[in-house]
mmCIF file of all heavy atoms in Angstrom:
data_model
loop_
_atom_site.group_PDB
_atom_site.id
_atom_site.type_symbol
_atom_site.label_atom_id
_atom_site.label_comp_id
_atom_site.label_asym_id
_atom_site.label_seq_id
_atom_site.Cartn_x
_atom_site.Cartn_y
_atom_site.Cartn_z
ATOM 1 N N ARG A 446 3.083 -7.264 -15.587
ATOM 2 C CA ARG A 446 3.079 -7.474 -17.044
ATOM 3 C C ARG A 446 3.774 -6.365 -17.824
ATOM 4 O O ARG A 446 4.142 -6.565 -18.989
ATOM 5 C CB ARG A 446 1.645 -7.633 -17.544
ATOM 6 C CG ARG A 446 0.774 -6.414 -17.381
ATOM 7 C CD ARG A 446 -0.652 -6.664 -17.882
ATOM 8 N NE ARG A 446 -1.476 -5.467 -17.779
ATOM 9 C CZ ARG A 446 -2.151 -5.119 -16.688
ATOM 10 N NH1 ARG A 446 -2.077 -5.875 -15.600
ATOM 11 N NH2 ARG A 446 -2.891 -4.022 -16.676
ATOM 12 N N GLU A 447 3.955 -5.202 -17.207
ATOM 13 C CA GLU A 447 4.546 -4.064 -17.928
ATOM 14 C C GLU A 447 5.813 -3.597 -17.216
ATOM 15 O O GLU A 447 5.755 -3.061 -16.118
ATOM 16 C CB GLU A 447 3.544 -2.904 -18.020
ATOM 17 C CG GLU A 447 2.245 -3.249 -18.741
ATOM 18 C CD GLU A 447 2.444 -3.521 -20.222
ATOM 19 O OE1 GLU A 447 3.532 -3.194 -20.752
ATOM 20 O OE2 GLU A 447 1.505 -4.045 -20.855
ATOM 21 N N HIS A 448 6.968 -3.794 -17.872
ATOM 22 C CA HIS A 448 8.257 -3.488 -17.243
ATOM 23 C C HIS A 448 8.911 -2.240 -17.819
ATOM 24 O O HIS A 448 9.968 -1.830 -17.331
ATOM 25 C CB HIS A 448 9.223 -4.664 -17.419
ATOM 26 C CG HIS A 448 8.713 -5.967 -16.873
ATOM 27 N ND1 HIS A 448 9.405 -7.154 -17.032
ATOM 28 C CD2 HIS A 448 7.594 -6.265 -16.164
ATOM 29 C CE1 HIS A 448 8.721 -8.134 -16.456
ATOM 30 N NE2 HIS A 448 7.623 -7.619 -15.929
ATOM 31 N N ASN A 449 8.334 -1.654 -18.846
ATOM 32 C CA ASN A 449 8.981 -0.542 -19.535
ATOM 33 C C ASN A 449 8.363 0.799 -19.134
ATOM 34 O O ASN A 449 7.135 0.934 -19.043
ATOM 35 C CB ASN A 449 8.855 -0.711 -21.054
ATOM 36 C CG ASN A 449 9.608 -1.930 -21.546
ATOM 37 O OD1 ASN A 449 10.715 -2.205 -21.092
ATOM 38 N ND2 ASN A 449 9.006 -2.667 -22.475
ATOM 39 N N VAL A 450 9.238 1.777 -18.934
ATOM 40 C CA VAL A 450 8.793 3.122 -18.557
ATOM 41 C C VAL A 450 7.870 3.696 -19.629
ATOM 42 O O VAL A 450 6.919 4.425 -19.313
ATOM 43 C CB VAL A 450 10.019 4.038 -18.349
ATOM 44 C CG1 VAL A 450 9.568 5.470 -18.063
ATOM 45 C CG2 VAL A 450 10.886 3.520 -17.213
ATOM 46 N N GLU A 451 8.116 3.345 -20.893
ATOM 47 C CA GLU A 451 7.319 3.893 -21.990
ATOM 48 C C GLU A 451 5.836 3.584 -21.826
ATOM 49 O O GLU A 451 4.974 4.403 -22.161
ATOM 50 C CB GLU A 451 7.815 3.336 -23.331
ATOM 51 C CG GLU A 451 9.134 3.908 -23.802
ATOM 52 C CD GLU A 451 10.336 3.307 -23.074
ATOM 53 O OE1 GLU A 451 10.153 2.320 -22.310
ATOM 54 O OE2 GLU A 451 11.455 3.819 -23.264
ATOM 55 N N PHE A 452 5.513 2.397 -21.305
ATOM 56 C CA PHE A 452 4.107 2.038 -21.107
ATOM 57 C C PHE A 452 3.439 3.008 -20.135
ATOM 58 O O PHE A 452 2.342 3.524 -20.404
ATOM 59 C CB PHE A 452 3.994 0.613 -20.567
ATOM 60 C CG PHE A 452 2.631 0.280 -20.009
ATOM 61 C CD1 PHE A 452 1.589 -0.066 -20.849
ATOM 62 C CD2 PHE A 452 2.387 0.355 -18.633
ATOM 63 C CE1 PHE A 452 0.319 -0.353 -20.341
ATOM 64 C CE2 PHE A 452 1.131 0.071 -18.122
ATOM 65 C CZ PHE A 452 0.100 -0.282 -18.979
ATOM 66 N N TYR A 453 4.071 3.257 -19.007
ATOM 67 C CA TYR A 453 3.491 4.115 -17.977
ATOM 68 C C TYR A 453 3.393 5.558 -18.472
ATOM 69 O O TYR A 453 2.398 6.244 -18.218
ATOM 70 C CB TYR A 453 4.317 4.016 -16.691
ATOM 71 C CG TYR A 453 4.318 2.606 -16.143
ATOM 72 C CD1 TYR A 453 5.332 1.703 -16.474
ATOM 73 C CD2 TYR A 453 3.281 2.151 -15.344
ATOM 74 C CE1 TYR A 453 5.309 0.404 -16.016
ATOM 75 C CE2 TYR A 453 3.253 0.850 -14.877
ATOM 76 C CZ TYR A 453 4.270 -0.024 -15.215
ATOM 77 O OH TYR A 453 4.234 -1.318 -14.769
ATOM 78 N N ALA A 454 4.412 5.994 -19.170
ATOM 79 C CA ALA A 454 4.397 7.355 -19.703
ATOM 80 C C ALA A 454 3.257 7.542 -20.700
ATOM 81 O O ALA A 454 2.536 8.552 -20.664
ATOM 82 C CB ALA A 454 5.739 7.666 -20.359
ATOM 83 N N SER A 455 3.073 6.554 -21.566
ATOM 84 C CA SER A 455 2.022 6.676 -22.579
ATOM 85 C C SER A 455 0.641 6.708 -21.935
ATOM 86 O O SER A 455 -0.249 7.448 -22.379
ATOM 87 C CB SER A 455 2.109 5.522 -23.590
ATOM 88 O OG SER A 455 1.826 4.272 -22.966
ATOM 89 N N ARG A 456 0.444 5.916 -20.868
ATOM 90 C CA ARG A 456 -0.843 5.913 -20.172
ATOM 91 C C ARG A 456 -1.093 7.236 -19.442
ATOM 92 O O ARG A 456 -2.235 7.613 -19.206
ATOM 93 C CB ARG A 456 -0.895 4.749 -19.177
ATOM 94 C CG ARG A 456 -0.926 3.374 -19.817
ATOM 95 C CD ARG A 456 -2.251 3.117 -20.514
ATOM 96 N NE ARG A 456 -3.360 3.099 -19.580
ATOM 97 C CZ ARG A 456 -3.770 2.015 -18.931
ATOM 98 N NH1 ARG A 456 -3.158 0.854 -19.127
ATOM 99 N NH2 ARG A 456 -4.788 2.079 -18.095
ATOM 100 N N LEU A 457 -0.008 7.929 -19.084
ATOM 101 C CA LEU A 457 -0.125 9.217 -18.407
ATOM 102 C C LEU A 457 -0.087 10.384 -19.392
ATOM 103 O O LEU A 457 -0.124 11.546 -18.983
ATOM 104 C CB LEU A 457 1.009 9.369 -17.381
ATOM 105 C CG LEU A 457 1.014 8.329 -16.252
ATOM 106 C CD1 LEU A 457 2.246 8.510 -15.360
ATOM 107 C CD2 LEU A 457 -0.255 8.418 -15.421
ATOM 108 N N HIS A 458 0.056 10.047 -20.691
ATOM 109 C CA HIS A 458 0.057 11.038 -21.770
ATOM 110 C C HIS A 458 1.222 12.018 -21.649
ATOM 111 O O HIS A 458 1.072 13.232 -21.891
ATOM 112 C CB HIS A 458 -1.283 11.797 -21.792
ATOM 113 C CG HIS A 458 -2.478 10.903 -21.849
ATOM 114 N ND1 HIS A 458 -2.789 10.128 -22.947
ATOM 115 C CD2 HIS A 458 -3.435 10.626 -20.916
ATOM 116 C CE1 HIS A 458 -3.885 9.428 -22.705
ATOM 117 N NE2 HIS A 458 -4.307 9.712 -21.479
ATOM 118 N N ILE A 459 2.374 11.499 -21.264
ATOM 119 C CA ILE A 459 3.611 12.283 -21.236
ATOM 120 C C ILE A 459 4.718 11.428 -21.836
ATOM 121 O O ILE A 459 4.541 10.228 -22.062
ATOM 122 C CB ILE A 459 3.996 12.712 -19.794
ATOM 123 C CG1 ILE A 459 4.161 11.481 -18.890
ATOM 124 C CG2 ILE A 459 2.960 13.668 -19.220
ATOM 125 C CD1 ILE A 459 4.598 11.806 -17.467
ATOM 126 N N SER A 460 5.865 12.037 -22.081
ATOM 127 C CA SER A 460 6.978 11.278 -22.649
ATOM 128 C C SER A 460 7.680 10.484 -21.556
ATOM 129 O O SER A 460 7.628 10.839 -20.367
ATOM 130 C CB SER A 460 7.977 12.222 -23.323
ATOM 131 O OG SER A 460 8.673 12.983 -22.337
ATOM 132 N N ALA A 461 8.365 9.417 -21.968
ATOM 133 C CA ALA A 461 9.127 8.609 -21.016
ATOM 134 C C ALA A 461 10.221 9.447 -20.360
ATOM 135 O O ALA A 461 10.513 9.295 -19.172
ATOM 136 C CB ALA A 461 9.736 7.400 -21.731
ATOM 137 N N HIS A 462 10.822 10.333 -21.147
ATOM 138 C CA HIS A 462 11.879 11.201 -20.607
ATOM 139 C C HIS A 462 11.320 12.104 -19.512
ATOM 140 O O HIS A 462 11.943 12.269 -18.452
ATOM 141 C CB HIS A 462 12.475 12.042 -21.729
ATOM 142 C CG HIS A 462 13.468 13.061 -21.247
ATOM 143 N ND1 HIS A 462 14.747 12.728 -20.835
ATOM 144 C CD2 HIS A 462 13.358 14.424 -21.090
ATOM 145 C CE1 HIS A 462 15.374 13.823 -20.444
ATOM 146 N NE2 HIS A 462 14.560 14.858 -20.579
ATOM 147 N N TYR A 463 10.125 12.671 -19.746
ATOM 148 C CA TYR A 463 9.531 13.573 -18.759
ATOM 149 C C TYR A 463 9.141 12.825 -17.492
ATOM 150 O O TYR A 463 9.365 13.302 -16.375
ATOM 151 C CB TYR A 463 8.315 14.267 -19.370
ATOM 152 C CG TYR A 463 7.738 15.361 -18.504
ATOM 153 C CD1 TYR A 463 8.486 16.485 -18.178
ATOM 154 C CD2 TYR A 463 6.446 15.269 -18.012
ATOM 155 C CE1 TYR A 463 7.967 17.494 -17.377
ATOM 156 C CE2 TYR A 463 5.903 16.271 -17.222
ATOM 157 C CZ TYR A 463 6.675 17.377 -16.903
ATOM 158 O OH TYR A 463 6.151 18.367 -16.112
ATOM 159 N N LEU A 464 8.571 11.630 -17.650
ATOM 160 C CA LEU A 464 8.217 10.834 -16.477
ATOM 161 C C LEU A 464 9.456 10.497 -15.667
ATOM 162 O O LEU A 464 9.464 10.629 -14.431
ATOM 163 C CB LEU A 464 7.507 9.551 -16.909
ATOM 164 C CG LEU A 464 7.163 8.574 -15.774
ATOM 165 C CD1 LEU A 464 6.245 9.228 -14.750
ATOM 166 C CD2 LEU A 464 6.517 7.307 -16.336
ATOM 167 N N THR A 465 10.506 10.075 -16.349
ATOM 168 C CA THR A 465 11.758 9.745 -15.659
ATOM 169 C C THR A 465 12.306 10.954 -14.916
ATOM 170 O O THR A 465 12.743 10.852 -13.762
ATOM 171 C CB THR A 465 12.799 9.231 -16.668
ATOM 172 O OG1 THR A 465 12.300 8.043 -17.285
ATOM 173 C CG2 THR A 465 14.121 8.915 -15.980
ATOM 174 N N LEU A 466 12.263 12.110 -15.551
ATOM 175 C CA LEU A 466 12.780 13.338 -14.954
ATOM 176 C C LEU A 466 12.004 13.701 -13.692
ATOM 177 O O LEU A 466 12.594 14.011 -12.645
ATOM 178 C CB LEU A 466 12.693 14.477 -15.967
ATOM 179 C CG LEU A 466 13.148 15.862 -15.488
ATOM 180 C CD1 LEU A 466 14.648 15.861 -15.234
ATOM 181 C CD2 LEU A 466 12.785 16.919 -16.535
ATOM 182 N N ILE A 467 10.673 13.643 -13.751
ATOM 183 C CA ILE A 467 9.834 14.037 -12.620
ATOM 184 C C ILE A 467 9.991 13.058 -11.461
ATOM 185 O O ILE A 467 10.151 13.469 -10.301
ATOM 186 C CB ILE A 467 8.355 14.135 -13.043
ATOM 187 C CG1 ILE A 467 8.175 15.225 -14.079
ATOM 188 C CG2 ILE A 467 7.468 14.386 -11.827
ATOM 189 C CD1 ILE A 467 8.757 16.567 -13.702
ATOM 190 N N VAL A 468 9.955 11.768 -11.747
ATOM 191 C CA VAL A 468 10.090 10.767 -10.685
ATOM 192 C C VAL A 468 11.445 10.900 -9.998
ATOM 193 O O VAL A 468 11.541 10.852 -8.764
ATOM 194 C CB VAL A 468 9.903 9.340 -11.252
ATOM 195 C CG1 VAL A 468 10.214 8.296 -10.180
ATOM 196 C CG2 VAL A 468 8.476 9.156 -11.758
ATOM 197 N N LYS A 469 12.483 11.107 -10.777
ATOM 198 C CA LYS A 469 13.822 11.259 -10.214
ATOM 199 C C LYS A 469 13.912 12.520 -9.362
ATOM 200 O O LYS A 469 14.493 12.516 -8.262
ATOM 201 C CB LYS A 469 14.848 11.320 -11.344
ATOM 202 C CG LYS A 469 16.308 11.338 -10.884
ATOM 203 C CD LYS A 469 16.750 9.956 -10.457
ATOM 204 C CE LYS A 469 18.241 9.920 -10.187
ATOM 205 N NZ LYS A 469 18.693 8.578 -9.761
#
Side-chain angles (χ1 to χ4, degrees):
R446 65 181 183 273
E447 300 293 346
H448 303 175
N449 295 319
V450 176
E451 287 77 9
F452 165 80
Y453 298 93
S455 66
R456 292 290 296 272
L457 298 175
H458 307 292
I459 58 178
S460 71
H462 174 75
Y463 188 62
L464 176 60
T465 299
L466 178 67
I467 296 308
V468 173
K469 186 77 172 180

